Amino acid sequence: MPYEKGNGKTAVIALGGNALGNTPQEQLELVQNTAKHIVDMIQDGTNVVVSHGNGPQVGMINNAFAYAAANDDKTPDMPFPEAGAMSQGYIGYQLSQAILNDLKSRDIMRSTACIVTQTVVDEDDPAFQNPTKPVGAFMDEETAKAKAEAMGITVKEDAGRGWRQVVASPIPKRIVEFDAVRDLVEDGYVVVSTGGGGVPVFETENGYVGTPAVIDKDRSSALMAAELGADMLIILTAVEKVCINFNTPEQEQISEMTVSQAREYIAQGQFAPGSMLPKVEACIEYVEKFPEGKALITSLECAAAGLRGETGTVIVAD
C-alpha cells in the first residue's frame, strides 16, 4: 500500500563513511544493502532523514586533485570545503537512488531529496588553534610548506610518513539548510543531508565562507535531530549494542542508559575515544537538547528492530 506522509515517528539516521566503501563502484553495491534497511524503517511508518560520514570519500577526492595538480598544470588544487561538497553530492546521489529504487520495488509512493549541507562553526572554536586531523596526500617538507604559504593551509609532519594538510574539528553550531530539510520531511520526502557533518562555514558580515575543517558527523546529526524534534537519533556502528568492559571477560552489553549513567561510564574510560566515545557523546548532546527524544546506537542490520525497541542501546534523559 502507498505510504501516507506525516504518519508515524521521525528518525535521523547517521551512517558511517567507512561503511560506504572505498571506491564509487564498491559504494554503489554497499548502499543497495543499506537502502533496504532504511526502507524497512520507512515501511514501518517512520519519516527518515539520513546523514552520513565522508572520511574515505573526501580523502579520495582530495588526493586525486592533489596528485593531478602536482602532475598536470591544467588541474588546480581543490580547496577542502569544495572537496567536502563534492563528496556530499556523489554519496547523496547514490544513497538517494538506492533508497528510491527500493521504495519503488515495494510500491511505497515516496520520493527522496539530497541536500548539500553547510554547517556553521565558530571562528573562535579552540579546535582551530590546534588542527590535528590529517587530510589529503603526503608531501615532502618543501612542497608542503610552499603549498601552505600559497593556499593559507596548515601542514604537519605525519608519523614519519611525510607532510600532510591538517584541519580542525570544530563543534557544529547551526545547519544552514535546516529549514529546507524540515520542510521536505514535513512534505513526506526521505532526505539525505548533513553529509560528512556538513561543509564547515563561518558566518561573517559578508555571508557564509567555507573553511578547511572536518565536523564530526554524529555531532551534526545530533544537532539536526534535536532541531527537528526527531523522536529518535540512530547512530549506526559495527555492533548491535554498546558494551562496557569491552574485550574483557567482564564484557557486558548495555540495553539502556540515562545521560547520567552514560557520563559515569565516560568518566570510567569505558568508551574508546576513536570509536564509541564520540557516538555516546553525540547521543548525550541530542537528548539534552531534546529530552523527549531517544538516542539509539546499534548496527545497520538491527536498526529497524532497534527502532521498534527490540534491540540496540538506548540513551534517554534522566
Side-chain angles (χ1 to χ4, degrees):
M1 292 291 292
Y3 182 87
E4 294 183 8
K5 69 180 178 67
N7 176 31
K9 297 181 177 180
T10 299
V12 173
I13 305 169
L15 302 170
N18 289 316
L20 298 173
N22 294 309
T23 69
Q25 294 77 18
E26 182 183 3
Q27 179 175 296
L28 190 58
E29 296 175 8
L30 289 173
V31 297
Q32 291 172 3
N33 176 60
T34 300
K36 293 182 188 302
H37 294 288
I38 292 172
V39 177
D40 284 344
M41 290 183 265
I42 295 168
Q43 194 164 36
D44 282 347
T46 303
N47 296 303
V48 169
V49 177
V50 183
S51 68
H52 58 82
N54 70 340
Q57 295 81 6
V58 75
M60 176 188 65
I61 292 168
N62 196 268
N63 285 344
F65 273 98
Y67 179 84
N71 292 277
D72 175 8
D73 59 10
K74 296 179 181 178
T75 302
D77 268 308
M78 184 58 59
F80 195 73
E82 279 71 10
M86 288 180 181
S87 73
Q88 282 195 59
Y90 98 78
I91 296 170
Y93 152 69
Q94 289 191 338
L95 270 173
S96 297
Q97 184 184 77
I99 293 168
L100 186 61
N101 287 344
D102 203 276
L103 288 167
K104 288 183 178 298
S105 75
R106 304 191 203 192
D107 292 324
I108 299 174
M109 298 297 106
R110 299 188 70 185
S111 191
T112 58
C114 173
I115 305 294
V116 175
T117 313
Q118 303 171 85
T119 303
V120 175
V121 296
D122 191 340
E123 290 186 66
D124 296 324
D125 191 303
F128 287 109
Q129 303 308 312
N130 183 31
T132 57
K133 179 73 173 174
V135 296
F138 288 97
M139 299 171 279
D140 60 56
E141 183 175 359
E142 183 180 356
T143 301
K145 290 184 174 178
K147 185 171 285 189
E149 184 174 352
M151 298 181 65
I153 62 175
T154 302
V155 294
K156 289 184 180 179
E157 197 275 332
D158 187 0
R161 298 176 294 175
W163 288 67
R164 298 175 76 186
Q165 180 182 358
V166 290
V167 298
S169 185
I171 295 171
K173 294 296 186 181
R174 185 171 64 83
I175 295 165
V176 176
E177 291 79 12
F178 171 77
D179 289 351
V181 174
R182 179 199 59 210
D183 292 351
L184 286 164
V185 172
E186 290 178 353
D187 282 343
Y189 286 85
V190 179
V191 183
V192 180
S193 76
T194 331
V199 177
V201 296
F202 296 141
E203 190 169 10
T204 74
E205 60 182 18
N206 295 317
Y208 300 111
V209 179
T211 184
V214 173
I215 301 174
D216 183 90
K217 56 93 179 163
D218 292 326
R219 297 187 82 157
S220 288
S221 300
L223 178 60
M224 173 67 79
E227 293 296 314
L228 274 176
D231 299 278
M232 187 169 279
L233 167 68
I234 303 174
I235 296 182
L236 300 180
T237 186
V239 296
E240 182 177 349
K241 293 186 179 184
V242 177
C243 295
I244 56 172
N245 305 315
F246 187 65
N247 269 347
T248 72
E250 291 77 37
Q251 179 172 310
E252 178 186 349
Q253 291 186 328
I254 303 296
S255 295
E256 183 171 315
M257 52 184 161
T258 64
V259 166
S260 294
Q261 289 170 327
R263 289 195 184 282
E264 178 60 31
Y265 288 138
I266 290 171
Q268 295 171 10
Q270 291 284 357
F271 308 129
S275 57
M276 192 56 72
L277 178 60
K279 300 182 191 308
V280 173
E281 289 177 333
C283 290
I284 290 171
E285 289 177 14
Y286 158 68
V287 172
E288 287 189 329
K289 286 186 176 123
F290 186 64
E292 299 92 334
K294 293 182 179 181
L296 172 70
I297 299 176
T298 192
S299 65
L300 173 65
E301 293 74 19
C302 295
L307 189 58
R308 296 192 295 267
E310 297 169 5
T311 191
T313 299
V314 174
I315 299 175
V316 297
D318 293 323

